[in-house]
Amino acid sequence: MPKHLLSIDDLEKKDVENIIELSFSMLEILSRDIKKVPTLRGKSVGLIFFEPSTRTRVSFETAAKTLSSDTINLSEKGSSVEKGESLLDTIKTITALGVDFLVIRHRAEGFPHILAKLSGISTINAGDGKNEHPTQALLDLFTMMTRKRLRKVDDLKGATISIVGDILHSRVARSGIKLFSKIGMNVILVSSYTTLPKGIEKLGNGNIKIKTFFDDEFLKSDFVMALRLQKERHGNFYFPSDKEYNEIWGLDENIMVTLKEKNKDVVIMHPGPMNIGVEINSEVAYSEHSAIFEQVRNGVATRMAILYYLFSHQTQKTG
Ligand code: NCD
């Protein structure tokens, strides 16, 4: 059991199974009338978001509060960082607050690792640049299971997920490739050459296929996850226009009809925020095949599970 969750590499398969099992229990708590358990009473979680976020921050905050933990919010806007405070001083300040967990989103890849090392506090990576977003991958895995009514991670062995879009700039893709291949899923990446990082298949366990257009193998996927074009990270020219992107790689009504023909139970996913009309069209995003809002709901349960799991590490070490 790890002290931090900085990367999917921190997790053994057993850890993944435990976190998923706990997510089911947390989902049950969230379905109760009174959504509160005393598990983390007297503890506090520092939520440090130095990049824009809605669902991830709110989801962690809800998760912490449901477990009765206090939360401290820090964002770049309005903090001393804007006044020129160095990151090391910010880390010292955060450490001095005396929180028990840190949840950090930062544009610098590897920053959560530095924070974990220097603070010694149990740290969760909520997205570092285009590197990793491990809690998103775990909630995506959990959503595939709730959607298909599966109870064991092994039940997903041999199932195929296609990740479509801007792989180059996507931390969701990197963590997803690692996690899904770790548990024996087949992963297909569909992306334009311009947003396909060289050697990306090496992240997986040999179950990764790369395609630059939709083909027959893609059409038979069990799960299709669309990614947002990460324009804030596009220093260069990647696509002529959103319209052209949508015509070639967008999940639109036509591709949905063919997907359903090949696999009537195909599930559509997206980590959000969506750019409707670019990587996905509304007819697909809001269709009965879409698990996109289930992903948001499950995000709270999975993050409760992760906090609880790391907390068990702390109590194991001290007591
Ligand atoms: C993703 C992120 O921030 O990496 N969103 C999320 O966490 N729900 C994906 C994105 O921004 O496109």
Side-chain angles (χ1 to χ4, degrees), residues 9-21:
D9 300 333
D10 294 333
L11 302 173
E12 305 280 336
K13 185 157 172 250
K14 190 77 211 149
D15 295 313
V16 176
E17 287 167 353
N18 290 340
I19 291 170
I20 294 296
E21 193 53 41

Side-chain angles (χ1 to χ4, degrees), residues 52 55-56 105 133 136 171-172 228 230 232 270-273:
R55 67 209 83 214
T56 306
R105 169 168 289 193
H133 194 356
Q136 179 72 40
R171 52 195 175 207
V172 175
R228 186 174 64 86
Q230 310 262 318
E232 70 277 22
H270 191 304

Side-chain angles (χ1 to χ4, degrees), residues 163 173-181 187 189 200 203-204 208:
I163 305 177
R174 279 178 184 70
S175 288
I177 293 167
K178 287 184 179 180
L179 180 65
F180 310 147
S181 63
V187 181
L189 305 176
I200 186 82
L203 283 185
I208 316 291

Side-chain angles (χ1 to χ4, degrees), residues 1-5 10 15 22 40 43 100-101 120-123 305-319:
M1 181 189 309
K3 175 173 180 179
H4 311 288
L5 178 53
D10 294 333
D15 295 313
L22 281 167
L40 294 184
K43 301 281 168 192
D100 302 281
F101 300 94
I121 300 169
S122 203
T123 302
I306 292 163
L307 284 169
Y308 178 76
Y309 200 54
L310 297 183
F311 174 63
S312 319
H313 170 99
Q314 294 179 1
T315 48
Q316 231 179 36
K317 289 279 138 120
T318 55

Side-chain angles (χ1 to χ4, degrees), residues 101-227:
F101 300 94
L102 290 170
V103 176
I104 172 83
R105 169 168 289 193
H106 202 282
R107 76 180 80 78
E109 291 162 30
F111 185 75
H113 297 69
I114 301 172
L115 182 63
K117 178 102 183 128
L118 296 185
S119 71
I121 300 169
S122 203
T123 302
I124 301 172
N125 181 0
D128 59 330
K130 55 183 165 50
N131 181 39
E132 276 219 46
H133 194 356
T135 67
Q136 179 72 40
L138 286 159
L139 79 88
D140 290 339
L141 178 64
F142 183 49
T143 303
M144 291 189 247
M145 298 184 59
T146 54
R147 188 64 178 212
K148 296 279 185 194
R149 300 188 187 287
L150 305 175
R151 268 312 291 222
K152 293 210 155 45
V153 169
D154 272 346
D155 296 338
L156 275 173
K157 242 188 199 157
T160 300
I161 179 164
S162 287
I163 305 177
V164 184
D166 183 0
I167 312 278
L168 180 62
H169 301 97
S170 175
R171 52 195 175 207
V172 175
R174 279 178 184 70
S175 288
I177 293 167
K178 287 184 179 180
L179 180 65
F180 310 147
S181 63
K182 194 188 271 270
I183 63 145
M185 289 184 76
N186 305 313
V187 181
I188 297 178
L189 305 176
V190 190
S191 169
S192 146
Y193 271 119
T194 54
T195 52
L196 197 56
K198 281 197 183 62
I200 186 82
E201 64 281 0
K202 294 200 190 87
L203 283 185
N205 272 349
N207 301 324
I208 316 291
K209 285 195 178 143
I210 292 190
K211 304 185 185 291
T212 45
F213 292 101
F214 296 146
D215 69 359
D216 214 48
E217 220 172 358
F218 157 80
L219 289 168
K220 290 184 193 140
S221 305
D222 300 292
F223 305 93
V224 176
M225 182 191 292
L227 297 174

